[in-house]
Amino acid sequence: MEMAELVQKIDMVWVLVAAVLVFAMQLGFALVECGFTRARNSANIIMKNLMDFSIGSVAYYVVGFGLMFGATAGGLVGVTGLFRPETMGLEIFDALTPSVFIIFQTVFAATAATIVSGAMAERTQFRAYVIFSFIITLVIYPISGHWAWGGGWLSGLGFMDFAGSTVVHSVGGWAALVGAAILGPRTGKYTAEGKPNAIPGHNLPLGAAGVFVLWIGWFGFNPGSTVAANAEIGYIAMTTNLAAAMAAVVTMIITWIRYGKPDVSMTLNGALAGLVAITAGCNVVSFYGALAIGIVAGILIVFGVETVDKVFYIDDPVGAISVHLLNGVWGTLAIGLFATDGVGLFYGGGFAQLGVQALGVLAFGAWTVATTFILFTVLKKTVGLRVSVEEERIGLDVCEHGTSAYPEWVGTRELR
């Protein structure tokens, strides 16, 4: 076997393993959402996460991949590879084969859709959510993804987002913000005076298990984005881990000071915030840059959750908006500050890269807010977006799926 052929096979195995790790993040999201919400909606959450990946896999293969990586039309959208993306003549196909690269990109696309599930949990009609999941993976995520990763206009300006703080996470975060705002809060979330009521999740260990699964999966998400088994993967794993760990520590300290006790669920979200924030620049920041990014992420998650809940009165049961939107934005901008080799502001690069990063953040935000606002508004006025108050009280497991994740609890007060 020639050395070049051996290297290619090693690269293929590495990227496929990374894809499996990212796919496992679907389990992590499902566990986090189940644990941080009430028991009577657990089966519904499992079904939504299952359909995010299942519907998304088909939609992205048939149309989404071509829109994202096809030959560009004015830097705005890909126009080749629709329906048969494996026939495209992408250079990366020569290194990995079409199947490996397409499945790797598919698991990323499914992640963007899944982020929205948690923010809209416990009161969304399943049929409306399925339509949303289909559309975001079919067109919304691929078109904006083309701008940065498919040779579009933002990549031409030098926009940097290595593994998707903006391309994946903030797209999901913007969609979650719009969806939760249009949907409205859960019944009983706010008093008549507008004071928020805590609605605890039913199983903190499930949520914690989900966070650890996601943390593990991120070692495929970020290092796997090299799409090659090269020397960068260890470095990227280090920056990824440092940012997550520092964000968790900072979140613990802040909640200990503010609430008198270290808050478990917020600290778990702190780790996720650090992971989201480091995703854009994991390959270009130093280890201490990663720690700095994690510090800010830990601050953002605490005050972001409080602001979304108490200032904007948007009910986000799992904190998805603060984790993925706020920290996706922060991580993208952080490249303009902490990127080494004379790129970031703190490394002699001036404001140029920061400006490009800010432009990318605004472009992705405008696109996602506009498209998802239209989508959710149409769904609300046609098939319906929200379940009835009575269905919400009984739970979506029974009302939407005719089952329960905890059948022995049905009819008892423990099924919160």
Side-chain angles (χ1 to χ4, degrees):
M1 183 183 296
E2 297 289 339
M3 180 58 69
E5 184 181 358
L6 177 61
V7 169
Q8 181 190 36
K9 291 184 182 298
I10 293 173
D11 288 345
M12 289 170 56
V13 171
W14 161 240
V15 175
L16 192 56
V17 168
V20 171
L21 286 172
V22 178
F23 172 50
M25 292 172 70
Q26 295 290 328
L27 170 61
F29 281 117
L31 291 172
V32 168
E33 292 170 31
C34 284
F36 285 2
T37 56
R38 289 169 289 189
R40 62 187 185 226
N41 300 303
S42 297
N44 174 255
I45 287 169
I46 292 167
M47 193 68 167
K48 287 194 297 181
N49 280 267
L50 176 62
M51 287 300 102
D52 280 333
F53 188 78
S54 300
I55 293 172
S57 292
V58 177
Y60 191 71
Y61 167 73
V62 174
V63 173
F65 187 91
L67 294 178
M68 191 162 177
F69 291 101
T72 189
L76 297 177
V77 62
V79 293
T80 59
L82 301 178
F83 309 112
R84 291 292 303 278
E86 69 274 15
T87 63
M88 296 166 63
L90 298 181
E91 184 178 347
I92 190 67
F93 285 180
D94 294 331
L96 293 178
T97 75
S99 299
V100 172
F101 188 68
I102 292 171
I103 190 63
F104 184 71
Q105 292 301 328
T106 298
V107 293
F108 276 66
T111 298
T114 297
I115 289 166
V116 183
S117 172
M120 299 178 67
E122 302 199 294
R123 73 265 199 212
T124 305
Q125 286 197 29
F126 181 69
R127 62 184 176 183
Y129 183 83
V130 166
I131 295 170
F132 155 77
S133 182
F134 173 69
I135 296 298
I136 192 173
T137 316
L138 187 80
V139 291
I140 296 175
Y141 167 80
I143 289 176
S144 57
H146 178 79
W147 304 345
W149 287 354
W153 67 276
L154 270 175
S155 62
L157 295 176
F159 177 75
M160 300 170 67
D161 185 2
F162 183 71
S165 287
T166 280
V167 174
V168 179
H169 292 280
S170 77
V171 166
W174 286 115
L177 175 67
V178 174
I182 292 176
L183 187 63
R186 290 167 290 176
T187 302
K189 173 60 182 177
Y190 296 100
T191 66
E193 295 76 29
K195 181 180 179 181
N197 292 315
I199 303 180
H202 82 283
N203 194 320
L204 192 56
L206 268 186
V211 169
F212 281 112
V213 170
L214 287 168
W215 199 329
I216 293 168
W218 238 284
F219 292 121
F221 205 98
N222 288 1
S225 293
T226 58
V227 292
N230 57 32
E232 283 189 288
I233 59 177
Y235 187 90
I236 292 170
M238 275 294 296
T239 57
T240 298
N241 192 62
L242 286 172
M246 178 56 79
V249 171
V250 169
T251 304
M252 180 194 69
I253 293 171
I254 293 174
T255 59
W256 207 332
I257 294 171
R258 285 182 66 80
Y259 311 145
K261 301 283 186 181
D263 188 279
V264 180
S265 61
M266 188 76 81
T267 303
L268 290 167
N269 264 341
L272 297 181
L275 289 164
V276 170
I278 194 60
T279 294
C282 56
N283 66 323
V284 294
V285 303
S286 70
F287 292 158
Y288 279 96
L291 290 172
I293 290 170
I295 290 171
V296 176
I299 297 170
L300 280 176
I301 189 64
V302 177
F303 293 99
V305 166
E306 292 182 2
T307 301
V308 168
D309 193 28
K310 299 178 181 178
V311 176
F312 295 108
Y313 300 105
I314 294 176
D315 182 15
D316 179 2
V318 303
I321 296 168
S322 300
V323 170
H324 298 279
L325 173 54
L326 294 184
N327 284 284
V329 168
W330 158 237
T332 305
L333 296 176
I335 290 178
L337 301 175
F338 295 105
T340 57
D341 297 330
V343 176
L345 177 63
F346 299 153
Y347 289 84
F351 288 94
Q353 190 64 47
L354 184 60
V356 173
Q357 298 301 110
L359 177 62
V361 166
L362 291 173
F364 273 83
W367 165 256
T368 310
V369 168
T371 53
T372 55
F373 179 81
I374 293 170
L375 175 57
F376 283 126
T377 301
V378 170
L379 289 173
K380 184 176 182 179
K381 293 182 179 298
T382 53
V383 300
L385 189 59
R386 182 170 182 138
V387 299
S388 68
V389 173
E390 180 63 12
E391 288 172 323
E392 187 179 347
R393 184 192 67 80
I394 295 171
L396 303 189
D397 288 5
V398 172
C399 294
E400 291 278 68
H401 307 287
T403 189
S404 173
Y406 305 94
E408 69 275 14
W409 287 2
V410 172
T412 70
R413 64 183 180 86
E414 285 82 4
L415 189 64
R416 297 185 297 106

